Amino acid sequence: MRRLLRGDGALGCAVKGKGADGFRTPLRRGAAGLVALAAAGAASAQEATLSSGDTAWMLVATALVLLMTLPGLALFYAGMVRAKNVLSVLMQCFAIAGLITVLWVVYGYSLAFDTTGMVEGEVNLASFIGGFDKAFLSGVTRESLVLGIPESLFVAFQMTFAIITPALIVGAFAERIRFGALLVFSALWFTFAYLPIAHMTWAGPGGLFWDWGVLDFAGGTVVHINAGIAGLVAAIMLGKRKGWPTTAMAPHHLGYTLIGAALLWVGWFGFNAGSAVAANGGAAMALLVTQIAAATAALGWIAAEWITHGKPSVLGIASGAIAGLVAITPAAGTAGPLGALAIGAIAGVGCFFAATKLKKVFGYDDSLDVFGVHGIGGIIGALLTGVFASAAFGGAGLPAERTIGEQVLWQAAAVGVTVVWSAVVTVITLKVAGWFGGLRATADEEQEGLDLALHGESGYNL
């Protein structure tokens, strides 16, 4: 792995051979896997060969992951709010996509994936965050390659992950946050929560979670736990919606929500299978286990709902499918079909009770259950990755000389760091965002609806 960092042409051996950590491919360690390590050294960039097949697949995968936010997540959330707030949620998702794209180009890619100063086994500042060597995509050219694909494509693929993560948080404070505060919060949270966790997990040897041997193939900690904890903290800090929980706040258009969920499901194949950064057997297995977990969790959720409430719902089956997709995300590169069945079943039932019972017990108004689905689902998936990566359950195998228990402990350590990191950053960034015109819409604006009050438009002209 260090040879690869120096760019001495070891890329092919590192990817195809068995590494020192006991994996047949380092990409099982994370979505970015070896980040831009090939491009980091001129020799690697010169010796690497473009794979047209891998490039074609990654072009498709990148489009699929963007589809998850626009229009997938936007529609999923828009259908669950009241009619007077439908445009506000759509606007927030679109605006975040634009904002994070620009920030990713300016400094995001560099802070997440610049490996300057990283030393395997040594904890220093570079273990937590990258530098600015890649700011404004410096050195990213038509010729620079990463793992056999253009580095520009790798940049775009990782950008789509950065876009959807803060967009997920929107659901926690839907119907009550001011638009200006949302933009400030999203920019700050992306900078101080998303980028460090992504760097620790995926930037390669020397990254904190990487050196711990944490398995997070496509973003269980980086995306879902990170966003889920932020959503919980934000929901508590902004307070409950006016009238919640005594006033009925039913979703205004479950058709939108189901369409959004379906687009998320399809897009997730790019999210997980694309994280192999290759068109190979690893990508194919990631796609298969993604489908299995989503289907199993959807059935698990409505089974629990049917038993508890007497009827299975459309919102329930959509939410269950998302819960399964969330939970399999960190395990997609290591779990087999048996593991996917187990992870899906546990996530479907677990997230159902988190979204319906836990919220009532503690009294927080997580509008669209960001914490219940992404936070809890992400934690379930991250911990169970340590179990079902084991070859005993049909997985790809644990790091050399580790037991299931040891791997689960390291997974739990990463979960703990992510929870604390995200919570602290969220508190601080929300307070700062509140300086710019206040965090929360006024009572009159909330009563009128954010569509008219903040954007001067209505989703429905009846």
Side-chain angles (χ1 to χ4, degrees):
M1 299 292 281
R2 284 187 178 177
R3 290 177 61 207
L4 182 58
L5 273 169
R6 290 199 303 268
D8 61 359
L11 179 62
C13 294
V15 173
K16 296 177 183 177
K18 189 171 183 180
D21 62 358
F23 287 101
R24 195 165 296 278
T25 166
L27 286 180
R28 290 176 182 169
R29 295 286 295 277
L34 306 173
V35 287
L37 303 184
S44 281
Q46 291 170 359
E47 294 177 21
T49 302
L50 176 71
S51 168
S52 58
D54 292 347
T55 299
W57 160 234
M58 292 305 297
L59 286 166
V60 173
T62 300
L64 286 172
V65 183
L66 183 59
L67 179 78
M68 292 173 67
T69 304
L70 303 175
L73 184 69
L75 284 173
F76 183 69
Y77 281 170
M80 286 194 280
V81 298
R82 290 167 289 180
K84 62 184 180 180
N85 295 311
V86 59
L87 291 183
S88 70
V89 173
L90 292 169
M91 176 71 163
Q92 288 164 13
C93 290
F94 266 73
I96 287 172
L99 175 65
I100 300 304
T101 296
V102 173
L103 296 182
W104 186 252
V105 171
V106 175
Y107 62 82
Y109 177 63
S110 189
L111 290 181
F113 294 121
D114 178 18
T115 60
T116 303
M118 293 176 66
V119 180
E120 187 173 7
E122 177 182 313
V123 178
N124 56 29
L125 180 60
S127 301
F128 299 91
I129 194 69
F132 290 97
D133 283 4
K134 289 281 186 178
F136 291 94
L137 303 187
S138 175
V140 178
T141 67
R142 288 175 174 80
E143 291 74 32
S144 58
L145 302 178
V146 175
L147 299 171
I149 68 171
E151 186 179 6
S152 56
L153 179 54
F154 182 82
V155 170
F157 180 67
Q158 289 300 323
M159 178 194 294
T160 60
F161 281 68
I163 286 170
I164 197 170
T165 306
L168 290 173
I169 307 171
V170 163
F173 43 54
E175 303 192 300
R176 60 196 189 275
I177 194 169
R178 300 191 66 81
F179 184 64
L182 170 81
L183 294 178
V184 174
F185 165 72
S186 297
L188 293 174
W189 189 89
F190 160 76
T191 303
F192 296 104
Y194 180 83
L195 295 178
I197 298 297
H199 182 80
M200 286 188 268
T201 306
W202 290 333
L208 186 68
F209 294 170
W210 182 287
D211 282 359
W212 286 358
V214 174
L215 303 176
D216 187 357
F217 189 69
T221 52
V222 180
V223 176
H224 299 292
I225 298 175
N226 211 1
I229 295 301
L232 175 63
V233 172
I236 294 171
M237 288 185 65
L238 266 77
K240 303 170 185 177
R241 287 168 290 177
K242 184 178 180 180
W244 189 90
T246 55
T247 302
M249 297 182 180
H252 91 282
H253 201 309
L254 284 175
Y256 288 169
T257 297
L258 196 63
I259 292 170
L263 289 167
L264 281 164
W265 191 332
V266 172
W268 226 291
F269 294 133
F271 200 81
N272 286 356
S275 291
V277 198
N280 59 17
M285 182 58 76
L287 186 149
L288 175 60
V289 298
T290 298
Q291 174 68 19
I292 293 170
T296 306
L299 296 176
W301 184 298
I302 62 169
E305 185 178 48
W306 209 336
I307 293 169
T308 305
H309 298 155
K311 294 179 180 179
S313 70
V314 168
L315 180 58
I317 200 167
S319 300
I322 302 304
L325 292 165
V326 168
I328 197 61
T329 291
T334 49
L338 178 62
L341 284 169
I343 290 171
I346 294 169
V349 175
C351 290
F352 166 76
F353 284 107
T356 59
K357 304 297 183 184
L358 194 65
K359 184 165 66 172
K360 291 182 179 179
V361 170
F362 290 99
Y364 56 86
D365 183 15
D366 177 3
S367 306
L368 310 182
D369 296 313
V370 175
F371 175 68
V373 174
H374 295 275
I376 297 299
I379 291 170
I380 289 172
L383 297 178
L384 292 181
T385 297
V387 176
F388 292 105
S390 171
F393 296 107
L398 295 168
E401 301 179 0
R402 275 196 183 172
T403 65
I404 290 176
E406 290 170 337
Q407 186 63 43
V408 170
L409 285 175
W410 284 112
Q411 298 292 118
V415 169
V417 170
T418 303
V419 167
V420 173
W421 192 296
S422 181
V424 171
V425 170
T426 302
V427 170
I428 296 172
T429 52
L430 279 173
K431 287 186 176 296
V432 173
W435 298 343
F436 298 84
L439 274 178
R440 182 163 177 162
T442 66
D444 289 342
E445 289 171 336
E446 195 173 335
Q447 182 67 37
E448 182 182 17
L450 303 190
D451 290 1
L452 283 171
L454 301 185
H455 303 292
E457 300 169 297
S458 175
Y460 303 96
N461 297 311
L462 301 177

